[in-house]
């Protein structure tokens, strides 16, 4: 098969792990570090925003964001991310991966700073500007998904490609962890410098004026890691697969990769012409694409949608779940900065014990076990542990059982990340043709963010107590946390079933998976059963 393939692509597939692989992981991974920090740090400060901008000293409880404002603040970045994934995914196939890679990063830097500088003299104006800049922040973050995944897949060799793409995505875990640590440090520093009484002791004094700086600094620090890697993004050469198979410039592809691999690679323009003549240049909205990759795209998009409903519900509303089981004290018993400290401590513990290890288990084992089995087992275990939280929910809420709840809750995060949260990012970057790879990854990722939006907005309302006497101010009674966990378990079970639509890509070249550049073998190359065996 290698003889039918361009030498530059064969060289990439068989290349030994080198410095440029790790450089690409760091450059692309720092984007994902920033993505996760920016998307999830907002959940750490929403309680603080409510205390600062919606305080009512006559109320027995601290101020909280009204339902529509809370939904907007938590979900607007996800809306921007969905739009960015579709737009930059399409643009990455039209203009090239490198051409638009720097745009997304600069947008993230500017909007991270602008989010923290949200101006205005009234709560409405501050929240409006915050939501405006977080939408565009999300738009930039959205572009990072298809571009980073596609660039890493097209740079990697086929033996360790899964681990390299997973390592880029695993930086998301460190971003979530960093958000918790930064918030812990800042809240501790400000608490020591500007102590305040508990809300029930002195409502007005419990939120010190300096607390307004805390959330702003936390949001603005998201610009730092992105800014540090901007220069290296601009210096990365275009991927050889895009240059050769999409731009149809074999000479430039061989020149770029000769420098990267530090070896002579023949251009082979005649072979490229022959491959292009044999190949089928079908588009996304064609019957040929539907026949070859329609079920694949349905599988990647649906699986990503389902896992993100559960994953973002859990991540964005950890503070509400921990409050409902009593792990975080009642808000009125704390001052504003102590509440921020306790929320961030809880999220940091979950990230450290469940989230981060899950990502790196995937990195180390994906090229051994394969994406199919990791995703299948991940969805299955998420279902089991979610039911383990939901069925005996009242047991977990009684004093003395909170530690058990947190352990079970952490295990759902572990198997999300050693499971579908990682594999749904990897697979779309491997199984589609080069000319549609970024677009299809963007579509799959956007489906995921649609699930995240449902999780962010829906869980906010659904998790409210069915008893009107225990509903948060401004909300209507919901189905309660227990039934909301049942819904998330059902999503995970559906994800288990959808996994059977997605092929195994372990050990295969990108062209072998897509049928691209191997037109004569192409019809068989795409008939892949979940175990990865070829169907004749």
């Amino acid at each position: 098969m290698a003889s039918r393939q361009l030498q530059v692509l064969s060289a990439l597939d068989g290349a030994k792990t080198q410095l440029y692989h790790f450089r690409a992981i760091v450059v692309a991974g720092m984007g994902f570090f920033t993505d996760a920090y920016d998307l999830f740090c907002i959940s750490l400060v929403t309680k603080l925003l409510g205390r600062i901008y919606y305080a009512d000293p006559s109320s027995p409880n601290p101020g909280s964001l009204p339902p529509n404002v809370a939904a907007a603040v938590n979900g607007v970045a996800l809306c921007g991310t969905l739009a960015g994934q579709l737009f930059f995914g399409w643009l990455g196939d039209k203009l090239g991966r490198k051409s638009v890679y720097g745009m997304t990063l600069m947008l993230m830097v500017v909007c991270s700073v602008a989010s923290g500088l949200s101006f205005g003299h009234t709560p409405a104006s501050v929240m409006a500007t915050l939501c405006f800049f977080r939408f565009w922040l999300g738009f930039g973050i959205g572009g990072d998904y298809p571009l980073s995944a596609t660039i890493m897949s097209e740079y990697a060799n086929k033996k360790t490609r899964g681990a390299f793409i997973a390592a880029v995505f695993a930086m998301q875990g460190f971003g979530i962890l960093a958000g918790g640590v930064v918030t812990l440090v800042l809240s501790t520093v400000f608490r020591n410098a500007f102590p305040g009484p508990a809300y029930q002791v002195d409502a007005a004094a419990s939120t010190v004026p300096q607390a307004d700086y805390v959330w702003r600094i936390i949001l603005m620090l998201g610009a730092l890691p992105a800014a540090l890697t901007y220069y290296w993004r601009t210096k990365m050469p275009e991927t050889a697969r895009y240059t050769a198979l999409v731009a149809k410039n074999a000479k430039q592809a061989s020149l770029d990769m000769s420098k990267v691999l530090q070896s002579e690679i023949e251009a082979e323009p005649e072979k490229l012409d022959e491959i292009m003549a044999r190949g089928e240049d079908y588009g996304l909205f064609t019957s040929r694409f539907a026949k070859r990759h329609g079920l694949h795209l349905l599988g990647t998009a649906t699986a990503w949608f389902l896992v993100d409903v559960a994953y973002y519900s859990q991540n964005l509303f950890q503070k509400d779940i921990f409050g409902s089981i009593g792990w975080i004290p009642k808000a009125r018993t704390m001052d504003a900065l102590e509440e921020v400290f306790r929320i961030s401590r809880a999220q940091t513990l979950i990230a450290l014990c469940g989230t981060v290890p899950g990502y790196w288990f995937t990195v180390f084992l994906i090229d051994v076990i394969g994406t199919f089995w990791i995703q299948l087992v991940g969805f299955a275990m998420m279902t089991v542990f979610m039911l383990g939280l939901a069925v005996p929910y009242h047991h977990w809420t009684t004093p003395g059982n909170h530690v058990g709840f947190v352990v079970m809750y952490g295990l759902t995060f572990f198997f999300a990340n050693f499971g579908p949260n990682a594999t749904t990012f990897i697979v779309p970057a491997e199984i589609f043709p080069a000319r549609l790879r970024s677009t299809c990854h963007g579509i799959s990722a956007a489906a995921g963010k649609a699930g995240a939006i449902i999780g962010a907005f829906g869980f906010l309302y659904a998790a409210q107590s069915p008893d009107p006497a225990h509903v948060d101010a401004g909300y209507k009674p919901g189905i309660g946390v227990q039934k909301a966990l049942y819904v998330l378990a059902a999503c995970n079970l559906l994800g288990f079933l959808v996994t059977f639509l997605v092929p195994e890509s372990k050990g295969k070249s990108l062209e072998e998976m897509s049928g691209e550049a191997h037109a004569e073998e192409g019809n068989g190359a795409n008939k892949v059963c979940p175990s990865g065996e070829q169907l004749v």
Side-chain angles (χ1 to χ4, degrees), residues 166-468:
V168 170
F169 195 61
M171 295 300 289
Q172 191 177 76
F174 287 126
I176 295 170
L177 181 62
V181 171
V182 166
T183 307
L184 267 175
V185 172
L186 281 173
S187 59
T188 300
V189 169
F190 274 79
R191 279 177 68 201
N192 291 336
F194 310 102
Y199 184 86
Q200 62 188 8
V201 175
D202 188 337
S206 67
T207 305
V208 296
Q210 293 81 5
D212 193 53
Y213 293 115
V214 173
W215 72 269
R216 295 178 185 275
I217 294 171
I218 290 168
L219 296 189
M220 286 192 286
L221 284 175
L224 189 59
L228 291 174
T229 55
Y230 178 75
Y231 172 79
W232 296 108
R233 281 203 180 190
T234 62
K235 293 300 180 183
M236 292 178 72
E238 182 57 86
T239 70
R241 286 183 159 90
Y242 181 87
T243 304
L245 300 177
V246 183
K248 299 180 175 60
N249 189 338
K251 182 177 180 181
Q252 188 62 51
S254 63
L255 284 173
D256 288 342
M257 291 305 104
S258 293
K259 293 177 183 176
V260 169
L261 298 173
Q262 297 181 340
S263 63
E264 288 296 321
I265 298 176
E266 188 179 348
E268 303 179 304
E270 295 83 5
K271 182 181 281 190
L272 177 62
D273 291 340
E274 180 186 343
I275 290 171
M276 291 298 106
R278 290 201 316 264
E280 298 174 86
D281 195 15
Y282 53 85
L284 181 66
F285 301 105
T286 62
S287 59
R288 178 64 65 184
F289 177 86
K291 181 180 179 181
R292 290 189 173 222
H293 297 291
L295 286 178
H296 295 167
L297 185 57
L298 177 64
T300 57
T302 307
W304 206 333
F305 172 87
L306 291 168
V307 71
D308 272 12
V309 170
Y311 189 74
Y312 279 81
S313 295
Q314 289 176 271
N315 249 314
L316 289 174
F317 300 104
Q318 283 185 42
K319 59 188 183 302
D320 302 304
I321 292 174
F322 289 146
S324 70
I325 65 167
W327 201 38
I328 295 175
K330 297 292 184 183
R332 62 177 177 270
T333 66
M334 300 179 284
D335 64 87
L337 292 177
E338 183 184 356
E339 185 176 34
V340 173
F341 173 82
R342 288 181 177 270
I343 290 170
S344 59
R345 186 177 65 179
Q347 179 161 311
T348 301
L349 184 63
I350 290 294
L352 192 61
C353 298
T355 305
V356 172
Y359 281 114
W360 289 97
F361 265 71
T362 300
V363 173
F364 293 126
L365 294 176
I366 192 165
D367 290 312
V368 178
I369 300 174
T371 54
F372 173 79
W373 287 108
I374 287 179
Q375 182 166 311
L376 196 70
V377 172
F379 267 128
M381 296 307 292
M382 287 175 71
T383 304
V384 169
F385 285 114
M386 204 70 79
L387 289 173
L389 293 174
V391 174
Y393 180 73
H394 297 296
H395 166 77
W396 297 124
T397 59
T398 57
N401 297 322
H402 301 155
V403 173
F405 183 96
V406 172
V407 170
M408 295 277 284
Y409 192 66
L411 285 169
T412 64
F413 277 105
F414 175 83
F415 281 104
N417 296 311
F418 181 43
N421 191 47
T423 57
T424 51
F425 175 80
I426 296 165
V427 174
E430 297 184 312
I431 64 176
F432 298 107
R435 64 185 175 279
L436 298 171
R437 186 169 291 132
S438 181
T439 300
C440 289
H441 195 284
I443 291 171
S444 301
K449 282 300 167 287
I453 291 166
I454 290 173
F457 288 96
F459 195 85
L460 190 66
Y461 292 91
Q464 293 296 317
S465 171
D467 181 359

Side-chain angles (χ1 to χ4, degrees), residues 17 21-22 25 152 156-157 160-169 367:
T17 301
H21 287 122
F22 294 105
I25 289 171
M152 197 66 246
N157 61 56
T160 57
R161 184 181 61 237
F164 289 157
I165 304 173
V168 170
F169 195 61
D367 290 312

Side-chain angles (χ1 to χ4, degrees), residues 60-138:
N61 294 307
S64 61
L65 296 178
N68 59 330
V69 176
V73 168
N74 279 297
V76 70
L78 299 177
C79 297
T81 303
L82 188 155
Q85 286 164 336
L86 293 173
F87 177 73
F88 285 111
W90 168 79
L91 204 62
D93 284 332
K94 293 298 179 183
L95 302 182
R97 298 26 165 153
K98 179 191 173 181
S99 300
V100 294
Y101 207 27
M103 298 181 200
T104 62
L105 208 63
M106 283 309 299
L107 194 56
M108 289 157 60
V109 170
V110 171
C111 292
S112 289
V113 174
S115 295
L117 295 175
S118 296
F119 51 85
H121 299 290
T122 64
S125 60
V126 174
M127 293 300 111
T129 52
L130 174 62
C131 289
F132 174 82
F133 288 119
R134 280 192 63 80
F135 175 87
W136 290 107
L137 171 64

Side-chain angles (χ1 to χ4, degrees), residues 498-513:
V498 167
T499 299
F500 287 93
L501 297 176
V502 181
E504 178 59 78
S505 54
K506 182 183 69 169
K508 296 180 174 64
S509 73
L510 298 180
E511 289 69 43
E512 188 179 355
M513 286 303 301

